[in-house]
């Protein structure tokens, strides 16, 4: 069936709005039946003045959660883990509640508190305190377990990075190898994602990359270059590096069933609403956005110091969009950047 052509003026307007709200630059890459369309605005480096470039890599934040979910669900497909088994069956004694299952982690229904709320309560001091730190996943879980649980297991959706730190532990325990190796073997190599990597705890972004700029909490304070960091506070929850082309390859391949069985794709895309308007949903490490034109897109969003990311595709994998603005702690930038989805997938609004 014919699909609307992307509204590239609308995409550019959203990118310009991201800049108007404080991003040094922004970019988007759309992949569709008529090929690839890219748009860039502003700079990827405020010192050199180098222009934003869709060939440049950046930190994708929680889009990493979908990579981690794919790896875990492949292990479920291979019968090495059960979705409805208690996490403690595979990681004995880790969690204080035997009722918390693997599925609860992937759907953010475990009730495990998110330690980043406290960690980043004060944006720049919190970031500076951890940007060069290396945490063990156990330490991060410990930070969470020191806080009250947010819900009974399975009772409600409550987003928590802790869930995907535990997902990373499940992957390493089940396979006996590192998370990096599993990303490489199960996603990066098979899809030839040449600019995607998991280099934790290396702080630099290899190759051509975007520099990220963190807005301090104090209005008018200068931006903080937050490009180099270990992202050890996130690991499987947010430490992957990628670029727009690789993200579109990933989301379209996922939707086309190249990474998981049909049964597992059904499980992954079985969603529950996360907003009152019932336009935002969460499945297994995967978001679904229902756009104004009726199109449903699947993927994830990311917020890591200096980088906002959207990476979504249609369920048939025929169309994908990735968008990034190189700032954070500026909610308005994240909101207007999301406008690229409506423009790209719904096309020009009817006159
Ligand atoms: C649910 C989210 C938004 S938060 C979660 C994860 N990112 C984080 O947990 C980082 C939080 C601190 C980021 C920092 N903010 C502060 O320090 C505020 N004091 C900034 O803006 O750079 C990610 O990525 N997810 C986003 C997602 O899934 O879209």
């Amino acid at each position: 069936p014919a699909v609307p052509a992307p509204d590239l003026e609308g995409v550019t307007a959203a990118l310009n709005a991201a800049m108007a709200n404080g991003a040094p630059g922004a970019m988007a890459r759309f992949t569709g039946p008529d090929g690839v369309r890219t748009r860039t605005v502003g700079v990827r480096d405020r010192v050199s003045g180098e222009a934003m470039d869709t060939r440049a890599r950046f930190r994708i934040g929680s889009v990493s959660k979908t990579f981690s979910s794919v790896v875990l669900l492949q292990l479920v497909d291979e019968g090495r883990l059960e979705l409805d088994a208690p996490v403690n069956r595979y990681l004995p004694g880790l969690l204080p509640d035997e009722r918390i299952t693997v599925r609860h982690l992937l759907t953010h229904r475990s009730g495990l508190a998110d330690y980043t709320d406290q960690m980043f309560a004060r944006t720049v001091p919190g970031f500076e305190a951890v940007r060069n730190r290396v945490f063990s996943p156990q330490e991060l879980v410990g930070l969470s377990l020191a806080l009250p649980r947010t819900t009974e297991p399975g009772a409600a959706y409550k987003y928590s990075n802790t869930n995907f730190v535990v997902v990373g532990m499940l992957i390493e325990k089940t396979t006996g190898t590192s998370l990096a190796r599993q990303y490489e073997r199960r996603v990066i190599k098979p899809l030839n994602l040449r600019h995607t990597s998991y280099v934790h705890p290396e702080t630099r972004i290899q190759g051509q990359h975007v520099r990220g700029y963190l807005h301090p909490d104090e209005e008018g304070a200068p931006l903080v270059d937050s490009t180099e960091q270990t992202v050890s506070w996130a690991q499987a929850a947010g430490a992957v590096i990628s670029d727009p082309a690789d993200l579109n390859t990933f989301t379209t391949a996922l939707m086309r069933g190249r990474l998981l069985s049909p049964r597992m794709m059904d499980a992954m895309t079985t969603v529950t609403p996360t907003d009152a308007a019932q336009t935002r949903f969460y499945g297994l490490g995967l978001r679904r956005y229902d756009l104004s034109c009726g199109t449903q897109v699947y993927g994830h969003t990311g917020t890591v110091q200096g980088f906002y990311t959207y990476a979504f595709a249609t369920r048939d994998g025929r169309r994908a969009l990735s968008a990034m603005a190189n700032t954070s702690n500026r909610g308005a930038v994240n909101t207007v950047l999301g406008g690229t989805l409506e423009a790209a997938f719904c096309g020009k609004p009817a006159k």
Side-chain angles (χ1 to χ4, degrees):
V3 296
D7 169 11
L8 296 173
E9 289 71 39
V11 168
T12 304
L15 300 180
N16 283 324
M19 280 187 73
N21 280 279
M27 60 176 162
R29 180 182 175 105
F30 177 80
T31 308
D34 297 334
V36 174
R37 303 287 183 272
T38 60
R39 289 293 185 272
T40 58
V41 299
V43 296
R44 70 175 188 277
D45 184 323
R46 295 178 75 227
V47 172
S48 70
E50 286 170 298
M52 187 55 75
D53 189 324
T54 54
R55 291 164 303 176
R57 303 165 199 180
F58 53 90
R59 300 187 188 285
I60 66 174
S62 289
V63 179
S64 309
K65 292 181 170 76
T66 306
F67 283 77
S68 303
S69 184
V70 163
V71 171
L72 194 72
L73 293 175
Q74 286 187 357
L75 294 169
V76 175
D77 255 338
E78 293 160 15
R80 300 167 70 177
L81 275 168
E82 284 175 38
L83 270 178
D84 294 313
V87 169
N88 281 0
R89 178 186 300 174
Y90 308 106
L91 296 164
L94 181 75
L95 301 181
D97 191 328
E98 297 295 327
R99 296 172 296 162
I100 296 174
T101 66
V102 175
R103 192 190 299 270
H104 289 152
L105 300 177
L106 293 172
T107 54
H108 292 296
R109 303 175 79 88
S110 69
L112 295 172
D114 191 336
Y115 53 84
T116 63
D117 294 340
Q118 282 186 326
M119 184 179 278
F120 299 123
R122 295 190 309 141
T123 302
V124 172
F127 171 64
E128 295 294 357
V130 301
R131 69 181 299 173
N132 292 305
R133 269 195 66 178
V134 180
F135 294 93
S136 69
Q138 290 79 1
E139 273 180 283
L140 297 175
V141 174
L143 291 176
S144 170
L145 296 183
L147 301 165
R149 295 235 239 101
T150 60
T151 173
E152 288 299 300
Y157 169 88
K158 183 79 175 73
Y159 191 101
S160 174
N161 287 299
T162 311
N163 292 319
F164 280 79
V165 169
V166 178
V167 165
M169 295 172 76
L170 283 171
I171 290 168
E172 297 199 331
K173 179 74 185 297
T174 308
T175 63
T177 67
S178 70
L179 187 56
R181 176 151 171 65
Q182 292 303 316
Y183 285 143
E184 196 65 36
R185 270 196 54 212
R186 295 172 175 274
V187 183
I188 294 171
K189 276 245 173 310
L191 298 185
N192 194 28
L193 304 181
R194 296 204 333 279
H195 296 146
T196 297
S197 60
Y198 181 82
V199 293
H200 167 268
E202 161 67 46
T203 58
R204 284 172 301 116
I205 304 176
Q206 305 291 338
Q208 186 185 27
H209 59 276
V210 179
R211 299 200 68 80
Y213 300 95
L214 178 61
H215 270 90
D217 296 327
E218 300 73 20
E219 201 49 44
L223 292 179
V224 172
D225 185 330
S226 55
T227 311
E228 280 76 31
Q229 68 156 308
T230 61
V231 203
S232 197
W233 58 266
Q235 300 185 37
V240 174
I241 289 163
S242 190
D243 77 354
D246 279 5
L247 288 177
N248 286 356
T249 300
F250 172 63
T251 56
T252 53
L254 174 61
M255 289 296 119
R256 288 172 189 265
R258 287 189 54 197
L259 294 170
L260 293 172
S261 67
R263 181 173 67 91
M264 212 45 67
M265 280 308 294
D266 286 348
M268 192 181 199
T269 55
T270 299
V271 297
T272 55
T274 61
D275 67 333
Q278 307 238 344
T279 60
R280 302 277 187 270
F281 302 81
Y282 210 93
L284 301 181
L286 189 71
R287 291 188 187 279
R288 190 185 93 193
Y289 280 12
D290 290 7
L291 303 178
S292 64
C293 54
T295 300
Q296 297 177 337
V297 291
Y298 293 83
H300 217 288
T301 46
T303 297
V304 58
Q305 287 82 2
F307 303 98
Y308 285 129
T309 302
Y310 289 78
F312 285 84
T314 48
R315 182 65 188 86
D316 61 10
R318 292 178 66 207
R319 293 180 286 159
L321 175 93
S322 55
M324 187 282 304
N326 61 339
T327 195
S328 66
N329 196 34
R330 232 340 175 257
V333 172
N334 200 17
T335 303
V336 297
L337 185 66
T340 53
L341 295 176
E342 287 277 343
F345 291 110
C346 293
K348 280 197 185 311
K351 292 257 190 289

